[in-house]
């Protein structure tokens, strides 16, 4: 390749690394606070902050304390959050009606945030698992996760979420045709500006374990999610799902989990030229946070490295539980 015409010692790679200023001058990628979406967990009650044991430093907040936290991260410069509910078990059943209750936890949270901090972007998941007593993202009959019946439930869920003021809907259920159904419903109901960030390349992964505990669904899940989430051995299959979601009306797409799937981030960005996000999921957070706790890693260094790698892989932004910590680091450098 003619970029590398010179030879040692004319070429010394270390010249470009010899000082912070020259390293910064030639740096190819930069993480900024604008690249971050902070996922948060909301629970019932008031004045409550409940630690999630599997996720050091992460809490489930009641709506009032969550609003206080969101004001704090807004002051740090964070501009978008993703809200996940820890639904009380008496509101979960096999028909999942709580998902399209306009007064459910995530919808009330969205309204509360929009009242206090209207400039904060709010993203909500479209999927049934937080409301399903069987723990699945879709409706289940005779042990099968039903596709087309689930679409109707997702349509109703998406509409109440848009109505509550959510800016971004994140279909995370992996049913076929969900983006089409949601986009059509939004268009018909005057939500032309509601964004869809589809969990398009969402793999059936062990790395979601701590999240399922955080939303209180791990005890519910019967079986696994392999009939709808992607097989981690495949990338062509993931690219086909991304193509379908874009065709059906997704504005942005996501790869999930993040770090073990950076190859997909790069391939999607290059192939589709569309805003591409990665979700550094709960299991990835748990591994890094435990390493920090044990003293294996320097906290600031490992956080910024882990997020910079997503930018290098082609991502426009990242969903990360480290968002507030990272914002503090970026503000102080
Ligand atoms: C639910 C959903 C999951 C996550 C986000 N939305 C879990 C799952 O599919 O079982 C995982 C996020 C994380 O692990 O941090 N559809």
């Amino acid at each position: 390749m003619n970029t590398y015409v010179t030879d040692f010692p004319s070429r010394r790679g270390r010249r470009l690394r010899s000082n912070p200023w020259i390293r910064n001058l030639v740096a190819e990628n930069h993480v900024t606070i604008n690249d971050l979406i902070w996922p948060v967990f909301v629970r019932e009650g008031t004045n409550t902050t409940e630690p999630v044991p599997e996720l050091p430093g992460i809490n489930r907040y009641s709506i009032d304390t969550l609003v206080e936290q969101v004001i704090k991260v807004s002051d740090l410069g964070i501009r978008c959050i993703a809200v996940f509910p820890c639904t009380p078990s008496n509101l979960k059943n096999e028909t999942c009606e709580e998902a399209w209750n306009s007064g459910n936890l995530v919808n009330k949270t969205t309204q509360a945030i929009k009242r206090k901090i209207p400039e904060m972007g709010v993203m909500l998941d479209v999927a049934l698992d937080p409301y399903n007593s069987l723990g699945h993202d879709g409706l289940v009959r005779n042990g099968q996760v039903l596709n087309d019946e689930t679409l109707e439930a997702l349509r109703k869920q998406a509409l109440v979420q848009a109505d509550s003021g959510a800016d971004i809907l994140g279909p995370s259920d992996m049913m076929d045709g969900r983006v089409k159904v949601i986009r059509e419903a939004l268009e018909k109901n005057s939500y032309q500006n509601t964004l869809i960030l589809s969990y398009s390349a969402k793999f059936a992964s062990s790395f979601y374990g701590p999240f399922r505990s955080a939303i209180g669904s791990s005890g519910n899940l019967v079986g696994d999610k392999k009939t709808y989430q992607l097989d981690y051995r495949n990338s062509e299959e993931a690219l086909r799902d991304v193509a379908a979601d874009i065709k059906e009306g997704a504005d942005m797409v996501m790869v999930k989990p993040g770090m073990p799937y950076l190859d997909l981030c790069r391939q999607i960005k290059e192939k589709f030229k569309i805003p591409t996000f990665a979700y550094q999921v709960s299991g990835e957070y748990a591994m890094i946070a435990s390493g920090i706790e044990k003293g294996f890693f320097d906290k600031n260094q490992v956080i910024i490295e882990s997020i910079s790698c997503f930018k290098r892989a082609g991502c426009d932004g990242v969903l990360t539980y480290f968002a507030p910590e990272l914002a503090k680091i970026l503000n102080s450098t």
Side-chain angles (χ1 to χ4, degrees), residues 62-168:
S62 52
I63 295 177
D64 53 341
T65 50
L66 179 60
V67 169
E68 286 166 23
Q69 291 301 317
V70 175
I71 292 171
K72 276 194 197 154
V73 302
S74 172
D75 291 343
L76 291 171
I78 290 175
R79 291 288 166 261
C80 190
I81 64 167
V83 182
F84 296 97
C86 181
T87 307
S89 48
N90 64 317
L91 295 177
K92 296 186 189 191
N93 55 34
E94 292 187 24
T95 42
C96 308
E97 288 93 7
E98 183 63 6
W100 53 95
N101 169 4
S102 58
N104 73 16
L105 269 174
V106 291
N107 294 320
K108 277 196 295 191
T109 304
T110 305
Q111 288 158 6
I113 291 170
K114 288 289 171 183
R115 262 196 307 274
K116 277 272 166 60
I117 322 134
E119 69 280 11
M120 179 62 68
V122 176
M123 170 170 170
L124 297 180
D125 249 36
V126 186
L128 301 180
D129 54 316
Y131 313 100
N132 191 343
S133 51
L134 299 172
H136 278 290
D137 293 20
L139 298 168
V140 182
R141 195 186 304 138
N142 301 328
Q144 302 287 316
V145 177
L146 306 172
N147 195 86
D148 298 14
E149 289 83 344
T150 299
L151 294 182
E152 175 53 17
L154 300 173
R155 190 187 63 80
K156 290 189 276 187
Q157 180 182 24
L159 282 178
V160 294
Q161 293 176 338
D163 193 52
S164 76
D167 304 280
I168 306 179

Side-chain angles (χ1 to χ4, degrees), residues 41-59:
F41 300 109
V42 63
R43 50 155 288 155
E44 291 240 305
T46 50
N47 197 21
T48 307
T49 298
E50 178 188 29
V52 179
E54 294 84 353
L55 298 171
I58 304 297
N59 301 302

